[in-house]
Amino acid sequence: MKKFMKKKMTVFQITPLNTDVTDLKKFETYAARAAKAGATHIIVTEVEKSRWIWERDLSDPYPNWGMLNSALFKIIVPKELKSYLPQDYADRNFALIKKRCAILKKYGLKAAAYFAEPFYLPEEVYRDHPDWRGPRCDHPRRATNYYYSPCMDNPEVLAMYRSAMKRLCEAAEIDYVYLHTNDCGAGICHSTGLYDGPNGPESCKNIPLAQRILGYFRVFRQGAADAGRDIFIETNSNIGFKADESVMDAVWPLLDDGMAVNFKNNKGLPLSSLVEVNHEFTYSPVRCIPSYFEYLRQLQAAFESESTILKVYTYDDDLDGFFTLYEMFCEHPTRSFADRAALLKKFAAKVAGARNAGALVDAWQAIDTSLKHFLDTCIEGFSWTSVNQRLINRPFVLFPEELDEDEKSYWRPYLFQAVDEKQANDLLNNQNTSFIRGYYAVFLASKCLQKMRTQVETARKLYLKVAETAENADLFRLAADRLSLLNCFAKNYLHAMKFQDIVDSTDYSEEPEISPQWPLDADPRLLEYERLTRAEIDNTYEIIRLIEGREREMLLLAPTAALEDIFWLSPEITGQLRVKANTMLNHQLDGKRLYRTNNK
């Protein structure tokens, strides 16, 4: 296989964070495939979710982001922290990484690392070592406790990072380290990108941020060098909707070779290019929805970039598209949309036969178009809504505070970043933020979702057309059912938006009019409430029909019911959906308590 462009390193991520990262058999299958495709490195530092930081205080929803991400001290516990951090958890993670590295060695691959750093430490650490306390790194709107990262300028803290990095690199041939910061429980002292605003200890307040970052990078490099390794390293704090942190950019001219901050090195060029279709925060938890047009667009952009390193993130894919398309692109790099469409047609012929190639490419283009309409809603993925807010399995009722334990216990503990019951009962409160609120916002977002659903339905029908003659017909029928399920998730959010808009426009203190007048029309809100709840009940039963008996083929789920969390739906989701439908049916007359009813 030809080497991709003139890159020094091609890094594949084959174990996405919100999956069962402990599956070594799957890791080896994908590592072997990545090696065949031309990878040089694999990210090995994805670790078990650190549930212990969530379970310390289940009333505080903030630690969930941090639970999801890896950090150096979750793998290597310095001797100074052994009385504060769970050693058995770190030992499992370290053992997992060593086993992964043994697999990589079989296929001539090396390792790369991804961490959220500097990651916060338990409060007890700072009570005993006050000089180690760095900035508050929590999100003030979403946390009920304070969380502090360690100070990047404290010599004792830096010594712990150096020793831990040395030990990690002794076990893993790591050549590249990416540090995600000012998010997910990590933060840099006095940085403008902190959710709490610039803050930190007085002792380092006047140290230039550029000097702080450079010193931190060098500590990681020194730790690696102590183990005989020379690493590339970069960090990024420009995340999502947050304003870019331009103050960090002052470090660019001072960086050593092989370093980058916010996508630029000391020559003003990116150190790495990322190819990531972002399934996790778009169409997940529905499995294996291909975004091949976007994948090739990003590969082409990486091909044209002057970056040194290529990073390719993969997800489960029935058609082996991430690896095969990478190989095909390396053989014949594309230069235009027409080139990408032609390459996809060749790939389609491989997986479905020449007679079906055109229809399959049309299906993939419809999925690509659907994703653009979906992103226009700004809801940032069904992971945020249907999963994090449990919209998919919680009942839509007008008086949620009256639900009993059986009606509530299977979803309420898993709501993401709702700090009180008022927020929890608001279907449009996503991470204590309302991206969509009010009639016109709901109207516009609904139009986007309707356009998305039309394109998804087009793709579904094309898959079924392909299944009529393809040798692997069952695979395409399964793909078509997944698209039906995806549209059920879109319906679910449509119904949630409109339902909450009715709630927001209702004065709960007013008694409904009970008039003997005949004929009399019902309050329009009652009729809409009844229509929406019936539609959501029907949608719930449709989801049950689509997934029952094959839940894991259709959805990303927790490995076990006991491991259900904010990011993972339960493998018992089908039973939960039945409870949702029954609860809504039991409460369908609640509208009469708020609105005027028909008298005709």
Side-chain angles (χ1 to χ4, degrees):
M1 180 56 56
K2 292 180 180 178
K3 189 175 180 181
F4 189 85
M5 315 171 231
K6 298 179 181 179
K7 307 299 184 192
K8 292 183 178 179
M9 193 182 298
T10 301
V11 180
F12 271 70
Q13 185 202 47
I14 57 176
T15 45
L17 290 177
N18 196 33
T19 59
D20 181 5
V21 301
T22 64
D23 188 338
L24 285 170
K25 182 178 179 180
K26 185 175 181 180
F27 180 87
E28 179 161 7
T29 298
Y30 281 6
R33 188 67 185 87
K36 178 178 177 295
T40 61
H41 292 72
I42 303 293
I43 296 175
V44 297
T45 50
E46 300 90 353
V47 298
E48 290 181 33
K49 293 178 183 177
S50 48
R51 290 177 64 96
W52 59 273
I53 69 172
W54 174 40
E55 293 169 348
R56 282 170 62 94
D57 182 0
L58 291 174
S59 68
D60 188 348
Y62 182 71
N64 283 285
W65 273 126
M67 176 180 75
L68 189 65
N69 282 271
S70 184
L72 184 56
F73 295 161
K74 292 184 182 183
I75 301 165
I76 308 292
V77 179
K79 63 181 185 300
E80 297 89 344
L81 297 177
K82 287 189 180 296
S83 62
Y84 307 102
L85 300 177
Q87 186 67 52
D88 58 340
Y89 168 73
D91 288 345
R92 289 197 307 273
N93 293 333
F94 192 36
L96 177 66
I97 287 171
K98 289 193 287 188
K99 289 175 183 176
R100 286 177 181 155
C101 289
I103 291 169
L104 297 189
K105 195 169 185 178
K106 289 171 57 176
Y107 299 99
L109 296 164
K110 293 185 178 180
Y114 179 110
F115 299 125
E117 296 290 1
F119 193 79
Y120 73 82
L121 297 172
E123 175 62 17
E124 295 86 350
V125 173
Y126 303 120
R127 297 298 174 99
D128 293 340
H129 303 277
D131 291 345
W132 295 359
R133 190 188 298 273
R136 269 188 66 192
C137 60
D138 56 86
H139 193 298
R141 183 67 64 84
R142 302 167 186 166
T144 59
N145 295 308
Y146 293 146
Y147 297 91
Y148 290 88
S149 293
C151 176
M152 290 168 57
D153 297 292
N154 183 280
E156 293 174 330
V157 169
L158 293 176
M160 288 190 289
Y161 274 103
R162 180 171 178 171
S163 66
M165 190 64 187
K166 174 180 183 290
R167 189 174 172 208
L168 180 63
C169 287
E170 287 172 342
E173 292 184 299
I174 292 174
D175 291 323
Y176 169 79
V177 175
Y178 181 93
L179 304 179
H180 179 84
T181 196
N182 290 344
D183 188 41
C184 301
I188 298 172
C189 292
H190 303 289
S191 171
T192 59
L194 291 162
Y195 288 116
D196 290 284
N199 75 96
E202 289 296 311
S203 59
C204 67
K205 186 174 183 179
N206 295 320
I207 296 175
L209 191 59
Q211 178 180 328
R212 176 174 298 121
I213 294 170
L214 187 59
Y216 195 54
F217 275 5
R218 285 174 174 166
V219 163
F220 272 83
R221 274 197 163 174
Q222 288 162 358
D226 293 340
R229 304 217 61 80
D230 182 18
I231 62 171
F232 291 91
I233 186 167
E234 64 179 316
T235 192
N236 172 46
S237 68
N238 294 341
I239 302 155
F241 290 111
K242 288 173 65 179
D244 286 354
E245 192 173 2
S246 57
V247 69
M248 289 180 67
D249 301 347
V251 73
W252 289 339
L254 307 176
L255 291 171
D256 299 335
D257 290 343
M259 296 179 175
V261 169
N262 291 348
F263 310 114
K264 287 188 180 181
N265 62 14
N266 54 15
K267 298 179 178 63
L269 300 174
L271 177 64
S272 65
S273 296
L274 176 63
V275 177
E276 154 69 300
V277 297
N278 200 26
H279 179 72
E280 171 65 23
F281 289 104
T282 52
Y283 286 165
S284 182
V286 181
R287 295 191 58 226
C288 300
I289 305 295
S291 300
Y292 294 147
F293 272 90
E294 177 62 15
Y295 180 65
L296 283 182
R297 186 195 67 77
Q298 292 187 25
L299 274 178
Q300 182 177 319
F303 178 86
E304 295 166 354
S305 168
E306 297 183 68
S307 61
T308 302
I309 298 167
L310 171 71
K311 295 185 293 186
V312 180
Y313 283 26
T314 66
Y315 296 92
D316 286 343
D317 180 359
D318 290 331
L319 299 176
D320 191 38
F322 289 109
F323 297 112
T324 303
L325 286 171
Y326 178 86
E327 292 169 336
M328 294 174 71
F329 184 93
C330 287
E331 291 291 336
H332 300 285
T334 62
R335 300 289 186 181
S336 65
F337 175 83
D339 288 350
R340 299 196 294 273
L343 192 154
L344 282 172
K345 190 172 183 181
K346 290 180 182 178
F347 173 60
K350 284 177 180 281
V351 298
R355 67 185 296 182
N356 291 314
L360 200 48
V361 172
D362 284 348
W364 294 334
Q365 186 177 24
I367 291 171
D368 186 70
T369 304
S370 79
L371 190 57
K372 290 179 172 61
H373 290 308
F374 174 77
L375 292 172
D376 283 343
T377 65
C378 293
I379 65 173
E380 291 204 280
F382 291 124
S383 291
W384 274 38
T385 55
S386 301
V387 179
N388 291 164
Q389 308 305 326
R390 287 306 194 263
L391 294 180
I392 205 67
N393 60 348
R394 69 191 287 186
F396 295 178
V397 294
L398 291 170
F399 298 93
E401 67 280 357
E402 296 179 4
L403 295 177
D404 63 31
E405 187 66 15
D406 290 339
E407 296 170 320
K408 198 170 184 177
S409 62
Y410 70 93
W411 57 268
R412 176 62 185 93
Y414 307 108
L415 291 194
F416 192 34
Q417 298 192 344
V419 297
D420 58 35
E421 292 311 299
K422 181 179 179 182
Q423 293 176 14
N425 292 336
D426 184 346
L427 301 183
L428 293 181
N429 187 311
N430 297 328
Q431 289 200 73
N432 210 328
T433 301
S434 293
F435 287 97
I436 299 168
R437 182 74 64 184
Y439 173 81
Y440 285 107
V442 170
F443 175 82
L444 292 172
S446 297
K447 289 297 182 184
C448 293
L449 283 178
Q450 287 162 0
K451 290 178 181 178
M452 169 219 156
R453 292 182 59 234
T454 298
Q455 293 297 320
V456 170
E457 176 63 11
T458 295
R460 185 190 73 85
K461 290 178 178 177
L462 286 164
Y463 270 131
L464 291 178
K465 181 180 178 181
V466 170
E468 292 174 2
T469 56
E471 291 184 6
N472 46 353
D474 287 346
L475 188 151
F476 290 103
R477 281 193 283 267
L478 174 61
D481 282 350
R482 286 177 176 146
L483 291 173
S484 293
L485 180 60
L486 179 62
N487 264 348
C488 288
F489 273 71
K491 278 187 186 179
N492 171 249
Y493 199 68
L494 272 168
H495 298 158
M497 289 190 296
K498 294 180 177 181
F499 185 95
Q500 188 62 44
D501 192 51
I502 292 173
V503 171
D504 291 345
S505 66
T506 298
D507 184 348
Y508 274 61
S509 67
E510 286 187 3
E511 291 289 329
E513 177 187 2
I514 306 296
S515 172
Q517 179 182 339
W518 182 92
L520 185 70
D521 289 328
D523 189 313
R525 292 173 296 181
L526 175 64
L527 301 179
E528 179 68 356
Y529 157 76
E530 292 175 340
R531 185 194 69 78
L532 282 172
T533 51
R534 173 59 190 269
E536 181 59 17
I537 291 166
D538 290 347
N539 189 48
T540 302
Y541 283 125
E542 175 65 4
I543 294 173
I544 293 171
R545 185 191 70 78
L546 285 166
I547 70 172
E548 191 164 25
R550 54 175 181 173
E551 285 86 351
R552 291 197 185 278
E553 283 187 278
M554 302 295 285
L555 290 166
L556 173 68
L557 301 170
T560 66
L563 291 177
E564 179 181 4
D565 62 29
I566 275 74
F567 291 96
W568 270 339
L569 293 170
S570 170
E572 299 173 352
I573 181 65
T574 303
Q576 294 177 352
L577 289 167
R578 286 198 168 91
V579 174
K580 167 180 177 166
N582 289 333
T583 300
M584 291 181 68
L585 287 167
N586 293 340
H587 289 267
Q588 61 185 326
L589 296 180
D590 285 357
K592 296 174 68 174
R593 297 165 58 183
L594 292 173
Y595 309 114
R596 185 183 68 240
T597 53
N598 274 314
N599 188 14
K600 292 186 176 181

